[in-house]
Amino acid sequence: METPFVFGKLASGDDFTNRKEEIKRLKTNFGSGTNTVIISPRRWGKSSLVEKTAKEFARSAKKIRFIFLDLFNIRTDEEFYKLLAEQVVRATSTRIEELQSITRKFFRQWVPRISFSPDHVQEISLGLNWEEVKKQPDEILDLPQNIAKEKGWKIVICLDEFQNIGFYEDNLAFQKKLRSHWQRHQDVSYCIYGSRRHMLMDVFTSPTMPLYKFGDLIFLEKIGNRDWQGYIVERFRETGKRILPEQASHIATLVENHPFYVQQLAQLCWLRCTKEMTDSVIEEALEGLILQLGLLFQNLTESLPTGQLRFLEAMCNGESRFSTREVIQSYRLATSANVNRVKSALISKEIIDNQGTGFDFVDPIYKLWLKRVYFRTL
């Protein structure tokens, strides 16, 4: 039976909820050619938001093309250039003859080798001579702009998992190269997002970085509880089951309105529910979710040094003034300087994050597991 809740893959159509203001802002940026940087913790729906907005916008703007690059497994600048060239050529060529014409016209310093899959257009591979590309990457970086200008189009290049450029051998030089080209593109704009918030913050909000103030910064917020409430109630109703609004709200509250976990917990509740939702089923589903992820959390916790575990225990106990003498002594955190080092390490590991009003866990289920299972503070 197909379940009415979606997590772990892109949400679209009825599976997508709210984000009206963010969609409106993105569409404005797409239409005006403004570069966009979306920053939020992982699993908050950035990829779904961009793809949904792009599809909607493309339906009303015929001379715009969206090109999606997933940099998840791209760990060198060589791989980046190859992916960019292939995706741009694929998205802007509908026929083999057109593809060959583009490569002849826009690759002047060197000619890539082109290979096709049996269905030709669906799979295109450009054989790049890396030694030549390394000397002259400009043609690839300017390829989207040159094609857009030639065809009278506007192109938006969407780069997911952009933080992975931090693994490149000389990533600062690479960022400088990107900025020097991208800032001159008049017909191409860039929408950048990824799953490691602190790395993206370093790249785009630090005055010392090449891509500082590169575009419109969108700090994605959680979807509100009221929106989740209506969404969950409606999804239950559509499948012949009933859940009270306050129960739907409680599901979202239990996982702190975290988009991925709201969908997952709602699905577990839906699977356990026959016709009418009960409070005991919700608690049973939550316990099942915590148990399901227990081994993952156990392995993560066992990898943490003692000082970091003591800091997490303090957070689980509701402490917030971590550098005070009382907290440092109670949790044996040594010194305030050590507290700062521990904070930085946990932020780097994406375990905690500064939410503006204070530090909190990135993963609300991990926090519950620590409280209920590891530290037994609940």
Side-chain angles (χ1 to χ4, degrees):
M1 179 187 300
E2 187 173 346
T3 62
F5 299 99
V6 172
F7 60 94
K9 61 181 182 180
L10 293 178
S12 60
D14 292 338
D15 297 322
F16 193 95
T17 183
N18 198 271
R19 299 293 189 206
K20 294 176 182 176
E21 288 304 313
E22 292 90 342
I23 289 173
K24 181 180 178 181
R25 187 167 167 185
L26 263 182
K27 285 182 177 179
T28 299
N29 288 353
F30 291 160
S32 64
T34 302
N35 298 320
T36 307
V37 179
I38 304 175
I39 295 180
S40 80
R42 60 192 175 197
R43 294 178 172 179
W44 279 29
K46 293 179 290 294
S47 300
S48 296
L49 169 65
V50 173
E51 291 215 9
K52 175 183 174 62
T53 308
K55 286 179 180 177
E56 288 185 3
F57 192 83
R59 283 198 290 267
S60 60
K62 301 304 181 184
K63 288 198 171 184
I64 194 165
R65 297 292 184 275
F66 288 89
I67 300 173
F68 292 88
L69 276 66
D70 187 348
L71 305 184
F72 180 72
N73 289 322
I74 307 301
R75 295 302 178 99
T76 67
D77 44 355
E78 176 184 3
E79 293 174 352
F80 178 91
Y81 289 129
K82 184 174 187 296
L83 178 67
L84 176 62
E86 288 179 352
Q87 293 300 96
V88 169
V89 169
R90 181 181 293 122
T92 57
S93 308
T94 57
R95 303 185 313 276
I96 296 175
E97 296 79 9
E98 188 178 12
L99 184 152
Q100 292 171 331
S101 173
I102 284 176
T103 56
R104 283 195 299 268
K105 185 167 188 175
F106 296 115
F107 293 110
R108 295 173 182 171
Q109 300 295 326
W110 44 274
V111 180
R113 300 185 308 276
I114 307 172
S115 58
F116 304 94
S117 68
D119 56 354
H120 298 301
V121 177
Q122 292 304 312
E123 289 297 331
I124 300 167
S125 178
L126 298 181
L128 305 181
N129 182 327
W130 175 234
E131 291 305 316
E132 293 300 318
V133 173
K134 193 159 49 173
K135 297 175 191 172
Q136 194 65 258
D138 302 340
E139 288 190 346
I140 292 179
L141 290 175
D142 289 334
L143 181 64
Q145 170 60 30
N146 291 334
I147 292 177
K149 185 176 180 180
E150 171 80 11
K151 292 179 174 285
W153 291 347
K154 297 294 182 182
I155 290 177
V156 180
I157 297 184
C158 304
L159 299 108
D160 199 356
E161 302 296 356
F162 188 78
Q163 74 281 342
N164 280 353
I165 67 169
F167 297 110
Y168 296 1
E169 186 174 347
D170 190 350
N171 69 83
L172 281 179
F174 181 72
Q175 289 179 47
K176 290 177 183 177
K177 174 68 75 173
L178 293 182
R179 175 121 198 184
S180 69
H181 284 265
W182 289 358
Q183 68 185 356
R184 295 198 305 267
H185 292 173
Q186 299 299 309
D187 303 298
V188 180
S189 58
Y190 296 84
C191 181
I192 296 170
Y193 46 106
S195 61
R196 303 197 69 175
R197 181 179 181 271
H198 77 283
M199 292 181 70
L200 289 175
M201 289 282 287
D202 288 342
V203 170
F204 294 104
T205 66
S206 173
T208 62
M209 299 298 281
L211 291 169
Y212 174 61
K213 289 189 174 180
F214 175 70
D216 179 29
L217 276 174
I218 298 178
F219 292 94
L220 207 60
E221 301 289 339
K222 290 179 181 177
I223 295 172
N225 189 275
R226 184 179 295 274
D227 294 306
W228 281 124
Q229 175 181 300
Y231 173 78
I232 294 170
V233 168
E234 181 61 18
R235 299 303 267 169
F236 268 75
R237 186 195 64 77
E238 289 173 351
T239 54
K241 298 183 181 184
R242 185 170 179 266
I243 183 172
L244 296 175
E246 54 266 31
Q247 291 173 324
S249 176
H250 185 52
I251 288 173
T253 300
L254 284 171
V255 293
E256 301 178 7
N257 297 326
H258 188 290
F260 182 92
Y261 284 130
V262 172
Q263 296 269 15
Q264 188 173 14
L265 182 57
Q267 175 176 287
L268 292 173
C269 291
W270 182 87
L271 289 169
R272 285 170 167 78
C273 173
T274 51
K275 286 292 183 183
E276 301 274 343
M277 179 56 63
T278 64
D279 294 345
S280 61
V281 165
I282 295 174
E283 180 58 32
E284 178 187 319
L286 179 63
E287 288 294 332
L289 179 56
I290 295 172
L291 180 63
Q292 177 183 328
L293 297 173
L295 181 59
L296 173 67
F297 294 152
Q298 182 71 39
N299 290 337
L300 170 61
T301 305
E302 288 176 351
S303 72
L304 299 177
T306 301
Q308 293 177 23
L309 285 174
R310 288 172 179 165
F311 186 89
L312 294 181
E313 183 178 13
M315 288 186 63
C316 287
N317 286 330
E319 305 288 359
S320 58
R321 301 173 64 197
F322 302 105
S323 295
T324 62
R325 179 180 299 178
E326 181 183 358
V327 171
I328 288 173
Q329 290 179 347
S330 296
Y331 295 93
R332 292 170 291 166
L333 294 172
T335 64
S336 58
N338 182 61
V339 168
N340 290 331
R341 286 193 294 270
V342 167
K343 275 184 196 173
S344 296
L346 290 171
I347 290 171
S348 179
K349 293 175 181 178
E350 301 276 312
I351 294 175
I352 67 171
D353 193 22
N354 190 339
Q355 304 291 351
T357 56
F359 289 90
D360 202 355
F361 285 83
V362 171
D363 189 324
I365 301 299
Y366 182 46
K367 177 166 67 175
L368 280 175
W369 181 84
L370 286 174
K371 286 184 173 183
R372 294 188 178 196
V373 179
Y374 194 78
F375 296 124
R376 298 184 185 277
T377 58
L378 287 180

